Amino acid sequence: MHVLILGGDGYLGWPTAMYFSKRGYDVTVVDNYLRRNNCTAIDVGMLYPVPTLQARAKLWYEKTGREIKVVIGDLTDAELMRSLFDGRVTYSWAVNDEFTGVPETVIHYAEQPSAPFSLIDYKTANLTVSNNLLVTNNLMFALKDLSPDTHVVHIGTMGEYGTPNIDIEEGWIDIEHKGRQDRFLFPRQAGSLYHTTKVMDTDLIWFCVRMWGLRVTNLMQGPVYGLETHETEGDERLYPIFNYDEVFGTIVNRFITQAVVGYPLTVYGRGGQTRGYLNINDTLQCVGKSVETPAKAGEFRIFNQIMETFTALELAEFTQRVGANLGYDVQIDHLDNPRKEAEEHYYNPTYQGLIDIGVEPHYLTDEVMAGMFRVVERYRGNIRKDVIFRGVKW
Ligand SMILES: NC(=O)c1ccc[n+]([C@@H]2O[C@H](COP(=O)([O-])OP(=O)(O)OC[C@H]3O[C@@H](n4cnc5c(N)ncnc54)[C@H](O)[C@@H]3O)[C@@H](O)[C@H]2O)c1
């Protein structure tokens, strides 16, 4: 089976490429280094240097004998997207330049994923809106015209739902209104412009599934933590990109880095913001199970991809406790909240669907967090305190 990964250089994309390659799939990855370039543009370093995508694919081949074909290019270019399905594609790195064939599965990660980045100014806002919607639209039309039977696994976000004062269902809700009933996408009201592009993505994809009978699984994912996946086997050159700054870092990764460098943990306001979280290894498991049990033609299948929920303050206290056991004196700071969001609210999402198709959850334990501390400690000398908090406001 051929798996095409859009956004294969990213935090989740590269580990996903190794995950499928190790399991015997033919893998092609596509990326234009947008994430790396945006980090450079706003001058936030990563925790450690990461080899190029071509270099990582070569390294993987040398270690495992398995080929991951690499395409470097911008997926907002419709012709580039279509070339991945009709064979006109040019590889930037491959052992064998021959077209692998139409992918049975596309995993779509290729978006600008930072809420603060989307709200720095009108330019980053435009970039986020145009990039995210064009990539998704190009993919939908390529499928309709060239490969309608291909199964897409798209990563949505739990942030699409916002924090409603009712239980959050998995994508769909049955509504009774004036004695009649129908089923609709669950109401979504996102808290950032980036998250709003994901709401629009979901609507765009559902339109295309309805019109053209495409097969799509949408994984509404919560913030991911972690950096070591099983496939790296301890080789740091195969680790994913890792940001610890406010704009691109996710909260657990940021708090651990702050603890290691003695920077008080940046809790926004009272810290009652509750969200659902998952380990990067569970992201791979969820995507893997979704690929093994594809959506049917004309089905828009939606799962909520989280394993447990925490408030921001609970995560800070978790980090403080684990840090203390490792000899760190971790302080917690309550900053004026730069974001417009409820600091205390009802939050009760359902997340059963992925478990029903065979995913086994792993939880954030003291041991898991201590393991992350130990990796981050090795790069303590690279951590720049000036990028940890910038206070991007909305
Ligand atoms: N990481 C998380 O915690 C998290 C949580 C919820 C949802 N998500 C979603 O998961 C997906 C992957 O997230 P991530 O954390 O790996 O982000 P990432 O930025 O690390 O990865 C996305 C990759 O896509 C590439 N890309 C973006 N636009 C492109 C384009 N036009 N052409 C080619 N490549 C392009 C980027 O360069 C980057 O390498 C995103 O859609 C994001 O919205 C992530």
Side-chain angles (χ1 to χ4, degrees), residues 6-13 30-36 73-76 108-113 131-132 135 154-158 194 198 221-225 241 248 250:
L6 310 181
D9 187 54
Y11 175 52
L12 303 178
V30 190
D31 210 289
N32 65 345
Y33 294 127
L34 178 74
R35 167 64 173 262
R36 297 191 195 221
D74 185 349
L75 291 159
T76 63
H108 173 14
Y109 289 134
E111 306 202 34
Q112 190 302 100
N131 185 73
N132 294 1
V135 174
H154 172 255
I155 308 295
T157 154
M158 288 297 290
Y194 149 67
K198 304 292 274 192
Q221 185 174 245
V224 181
Y225 59 85
I241 59 174
F248 285 108
T250 49

Side-chain angles (χ1 to χ4, degrees), residues 211-224:
M211 294 303 121
W212 307 324
L214 304 180
R215 303 143 63 98
V216 182
T217 299
N218 211 28
L219 298 175
M220 308 293 254
Q221 185 174 245
V224 181

Side-chain angles (χ1 to χ4, degrees), residues 127-181:
L127 186 158
T128 306
V129 172
S130 56
N131 185 73
N132 294 1
L133 289 169
L134 269 180
V135 174
T136 301
N137 200 47
N138 283 342
L139 174 62
M140 292 297 114
F141 272 82
L143 293 169
K144 166 187 177 277
D145 295 339
L146 303 167
S147 188
D149 205 36
T150 292
H151 176 221
V152 176
V153 177
H154 172 255
I155 308 295
T157 154
M158 288 297 290
E160 292 178 45
Y161 300 121
T163 52
N165 202 27
I166 59 172
D167 292 356
I168 298 173
E169 303 302 331
E170 297 205 70
W172 298 95
I173 187 167
D174 295 314
I175 292 185
E176 196 179 315
H177 182 63
K178 296 186 178 171
R180 302 181 68 81
Q181 280 191 340

Side-chain angles (χ1 to χ4, degrees), residues 22-39:
K22 188 174 175 188
R23 284 160 182 76
Y25 291 79
D26 291 327
V27 178
T28 304
V29 290
V30 190
D31 210 289
N32 65 345
Y33 294 127
L34 178 74
R35 167 64 173 262
R36 297 191 195 221
N37 291 339
N38 285 342
C39 289

